[in-house]
């Protein structure tokens, strides 16, 4: 194999340095370069960043972002039904089964780069993702509400993570920065006059920039030691510790308010308009 066998570095360099270019396009360039270099671990990383990470795969730390927990609910008032209202809740207000599975205030971003780019393009402020098993947790919360004598005028209909748009943009920016660092590492190993890198230079750069390790047939491992705390940090409940005492659910705390509102609406003979702050 000669140095000319590993092609595509210049195309990848142009793609990663162009902030207006799609990150998915840059990852495809990386995929092709890894193919020329016969570097399986680099190919596997680029492909997962393109297509997304399966649920069974461990995520790189930069793909775990802070997220608020929200429930969507419907209010049934005299003469009026208000749908699609949301309210934030704490981790301890989740069903025990959700907490035991690690659902908390940290969302795993498993989608591929192109899908994330599309989500960002159509979102102004928040991106909402449903935790795995969210429909099951909604049913459990509804049953718990009934057992505790909660307000019957409130029906929980959905559970989701509310993720700030910049957090998802940060995931894409982190991937682009990793690719840029990879190109820089390859360039640093190439002597003056060399047109294309050789496989050894590609392998060295991948380990330095992407923290990819692996051997014959081994699974690749990606870590993110330099991830920023505001983009890669997590804030999830520790399932190995006893759960704190569960506070009174928010639907209990608001039941008196909704009862008073309904009474006023009935006496006045008008329809009350209820605004629930997100």
């Amino acid at each position: 194999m000669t140095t000319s066998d590993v092609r595509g570095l210049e195309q990848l360099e142009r793609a990663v340095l162009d902030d207006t270019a799609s990150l998915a396009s840059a990852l495809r360039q990386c995929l092709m370069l890894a193919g020329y270099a016969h570097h399986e671990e680099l190919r596997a990383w680029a492909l997962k960043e393109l297509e997304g990470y399966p649920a069974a795969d461990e995520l790189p730390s930069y793909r775990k972002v802070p997220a608020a927990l929200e429930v969507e609910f419907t209010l049934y008032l005299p003469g009026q039904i208000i749908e699609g209202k949301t309210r934030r809740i704490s981790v301890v207000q989740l069903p025990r089964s959700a907490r035991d599975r690690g659902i908390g205030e940290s969302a795993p971003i498993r989608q591929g780069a192109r899908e994330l780019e599309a989500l960002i393009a159509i979102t102004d402020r928040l991106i909402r993702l449903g935790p795995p098993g969210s429909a099951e947790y909604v049913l459990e919360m509804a049953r718990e509400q009934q057992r505790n004598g909660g307000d019957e005028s409130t029906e929980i209909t959905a559970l989701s993570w509310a993720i700030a748009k910049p957090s998802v943009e940060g995931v894409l920016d982190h991937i682009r920065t990793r690719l840029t660092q990879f190109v820089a590492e390859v360039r640093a190993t190439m002597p003056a006059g060399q047109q294309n890198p050789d496989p050894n230079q590609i392998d060295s750069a991948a380990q330095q920039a992407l923290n990819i390790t692996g051997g014959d047939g081994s699974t690749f491992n990606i870590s993110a030691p330099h991830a920023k705390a505001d983009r890669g940090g997590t804030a999830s409940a520790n399932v190995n510790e006893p759960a704190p005492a569960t506070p009174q659910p928010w639907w209990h705390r608001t039941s008196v308010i909704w009862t008073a509102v309904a009474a006023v609406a009935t006496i006045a003979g008008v329809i009350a308009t209820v605004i629930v702050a997100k």
Side-chain angles (χ1 to χ4, degrees), residues 75-78 87 145 148-154 248-265 272 274:
L75 293 176
Y76 298 93
L77 298 175
R87 189 179 185 93
Q145 179 181 356
N148 294 333
D151 184 8
E152 295 182 356
S153 68
T154 303
Q248 188 179 39
W250 62 265
W251 54 77
H252 276 269
R253 298 196 297 270
T254 57
S255 61
V256 175
I257 296 175
W258 295 123
T259 301
V261 171
V264 171
V274 180

Side-chain angles (χ1 to χ4, degrees), residues 19-35:
D19 288 335
T20 65
S22 167
L23 178 61
S25 177
L27 285 166
R28 292 188 186 98
Q29 295 285 351
C30 181
L31 187 63
M32 290 300 301
L33 185 146

Side-chain angles (χ1 to χ4, degrees), residues 14-26 114 117 176:
R14 286 195 297 268
V16 298
L17 293 179
D18 184 359
D19 288 335
T20 65
S22 167
L23 178 61
S25 177
R114 173 58 76 183
E117 289 175 327
R176 188 181 292 275

Side-chain angles (χ1 to χ4, degrees), residues 122-142:
I122 62 175
T123 302
D124 292 331
R125 191 169 63 90
L126 290 176
I127 294 174
R128 288 183 170 85
L129 298 176
S134 57
E136 173 189 343
Y137 305 143
V138 166
L139 290 176
E140 290 186 43
M141 294 172 77

Side-chain angles (χ1 to χ4, degrees), residues 39-213:
H39 199 293
E40 295 299 326
E41 291 80 15
L42 181 59
R43 286 173 57 193
W45 176 80
L47 190 60
K48 289 193 177 186
E49 295 295 349
L50 270 170
E51 297 184 341
Y53 286 75
D57 283 15
E58 182 178 357
L59 282 177
S61 62
Y62 56 81
R63 277 182 166 267
K64 301 173 185 178
V65 301
L69 290 164
E70 287 189 350
V71 290
E72 183 176 306
F73 56 94
T74 298
L75 293 176
Y76 298 93
L77 298 175
Q80 186 178 22
I81 298 177
I82 304 175
E83 298 180 321
K85 296 300 180 181
T86 61
R87 189 179 185 93
R88 294 192 175 183
I89 63 172
S90 69
V91 174
V92 294
Q93 289 173 294
L94 289 173
R96 169 69 71 175
S97 59
R99 301 199 303 270
D100 288 347
R101 293 175 190 173
I103 303 299
E105 294 174 334
S106 174
I109 307 299
R110 296 189 174 275
Q111 291 80 359
R114 173 58 76 183
E115 184 176 350
L116 293 178
E117 289 175 327
L119 284 172
I120 289 171
I122 62 175
T123 302
D124 292 331
R125 191 169 63 90
L126 290 176
I127 294 174
R128 288 183 170 85
L129 298 176
S134 57
E136 173 189 343
Y137 305 143
V138 166
L139 290 176
E140 290 186 43
M141 294 172 77
R143 287 194 291 266
E144 182 180 352
Q145 179 181 356
Q146 292 176 353
R147 286 194 301 268
N148 294 333
D151 184 8
E152 295 182 356
S153 68
T154 303
E155 178 187 4
I156 301 173
T157 57
L159 170 68
S160 64
W161 280 306
I163 307 167
K165 181 179 177 179
S167 293
V168 179
E169 290 174 327
V171 173
L172 296 179
D173 185 68
H174 192 106
I175 298 170
R176 188 181 292 275
T177 300
R178 282 300 182 90
L179 285 173
T180 304
Q181 185 181 355
F182 168 70
V183 173
E185 293 288 347
V186 176
R187 289 294 190 194
T189 64
M190 295 170 61
Q194 184 178 348
Q195 296 297 316
N196 296 300
D198 62 43
N200 289 333
Q201 291 166 334
I202 295 294
D203 181 63
S204 175
Q207 293 185 40
Q208 291 294 322
L210 304 175
N211 297 102
I212 295 176
T213 59

